[in-house]
Amino acid sequence: MAPHSLWSASCGYHASGHALCFLLKEKSPVYSCVFLQVEVSEDEPASKAQRRKEKRQRVKGNLTPLTGRNYRQLLERLQARQSRLDELRDQDEGKAQELEAKMKWTNLLYKAEGVKIRDDERLLQEALKRKEKRRAQRQRRWEKRTAGVVEKMQQRQDRRRQNLRRKKAARAERRLLRARKKGRILPQDLERAGLV
C-alpha cells in the first residue's frame, strides 16, 4: 500500500443491527486527510403507488391475511369466505376443497412469517364481545364523569351565589350599624319600637 493513499470503504448494517464495513479498492494517492467517507444510495423513497404494488406482491395467493384488531370486519370477512366456500361446495366439491386447501396453505405461510392470523370464528366473537363490553364500560364511566363534573360546577355556583348574598347582607348590616352610631333613626328601629 502506498504511504499516502486512501481506501474507499462501503458501510452497511447486517440484519442483526451490527455495522459492517467492506474495503473496496485502493484510490490514487491523495495528500489530504479524510476522516469519514459515507456513500449514500441514490434510491428515491418509494411512491404511494409503488408501496401499494409491493404490498400487493407480498399478499400470498390473492388472500389478504385475517389480521388486525377490527374484529367486526374480520368476522364479516371470515363469514364471507365461508359462504363463498359453501356456494362453491354446492356447485363443485373439488374446487371447494382446492380453495380450502389454498386458504389453509396461505394462512400457514403467513403464520410462518410471524403474522398473527385470526381465523377462529368463536374467538373473534368473544373478542368482539369483550371489546364492546369495554367500550360500553368506558362510555358509562365517561357519562358518570361528565355528570359529576356538571354537578360539581352547579354546587360551586350555588356556593358562590350564597357567599355573594351573605357578603351583600353583611355589607348592608354594617352600613346600618354605622348609621345608628352616627345617631340616625332608621325605619326598622321605629317598627321594632312599635311607633310606626
Side-chain angles (χ1 to χ4, degrees):
M1 182 170 132
H4 294 291
S5 67
L6 291 175
W7 290 73
S8 98
S10 171
C11 295
Y13 286 94
H14 186 261
S16 64
H18 299 290
L20 299 174
C21 292
F22 305 100
L23 294 176
L24 296 178
K25 60 180 180 180
E26 189 175 337
K27 285 188 171 180
S28 60
V30 180
Y31 296 101
S32 64
C33 187
V34 177
F35 290 105
L36 180 65
Q37 182 176 356
V38 179
E39 283 186 28
V40 180
S41 66
E42 303 270 334
D43 295 340
E44 293 280 325
S47 67
K48 196 172 185 179
Q50 183 68 26
R51 287 195 305 266
R52 198 178 301 130
K53 185 178 178 184
E54 288 172 2
K55 186 178 180 182
R56 214 176 296 125
Q57 287 173 350
R58 283 195 305 253
V59 170
K60 291 166 182 41
N62 289 334
L63 285 174
T64 54
L66 292 167
T67 60
R69 296 203 175 271
N70 190 349
Y71 300 123
R72 180 169 284 119
Q73 184 190 28
L74 288 172
L75 261 173
E76 288 170 2
R77 284 174 56 195
L78 189 64
Q79 288 166 352
R81 280 187 188 180
Q82 290 298 328
S83 63
R84 197 172 73 209
L85 268 174
D86 291 339
E87 287 174 12
L88 203 56
R89 271 197 197 100
D90 294 340
Q91 294 170 1
D92 187 9
E93 185 67 34
K95 281 187 180 178
Q97 287 178 348
E98 202 175 291
L99 182 63
E100 196 171 9
K102 182 181 175 186
M103 285 180 180
K104 285 181 180 175
W105 273 108
T106 51
N107 281 345
L108 282 173
L109 287 173
Y110 281 124
K111 284 179 183 177
E113 279 185 2
V115 177
K116 180 93 170 160
I117 301 293
R118 293 182 166 94
D119 58 352
D120 189 349
E121 192 170 353
R122 184 184 57 81
L123 290 177
L124 280 173
Q125 285 174 343
E126 288 175 5
L128 183 63
K129 279 183 185 175
R130 273 197 312 271
K131 194 174 183 179
E132 293 295 328
K133 193 175 178 183
R134 276 198 304 267
R135 180 178 287 150
Q137 279 179 342
R138 280 198 297 266
Q139 184 70 27
R140 279 197 302 271
R141 276 194 213 125
W142 180 254
E143 286 170 359
K144 187 177 176 184
R145 183 180 179 277
T146 52
V149 166
V150 168
E151 192 177 324
K152 281 182 182 176
M153 280 175 60
Q154 193 64 43
Q155 287 175 355
R156 277 196 221 112
Q157 285 176 353
D158 291 344
R159 201 178 318 135
R160 184 172 182 272
R161 281 194 199 103
Q162 285 174 358
N163 289 341
L164 288 174
R165 257 189 254 119
R166 205 176 299 128
K167 280 181 184 177
K168 192 175 180 182
R171 203 176 306 129
E173 192 62 37
R174 276 199 306 269
R175 269 198 221 113
L176 292 175
L177 281 173
R178 271 200 302 258
R180 283 189 190 112
K181 277 185 182 176
K182 289 182 179 178
R184 291 206 181 109
I185 298 171
L186 301 171
Q188 295 97 334
D189 295 337
L190 291 174
E191 282 176 17
R192 224 178 283 147
L195 298 172
V196 178

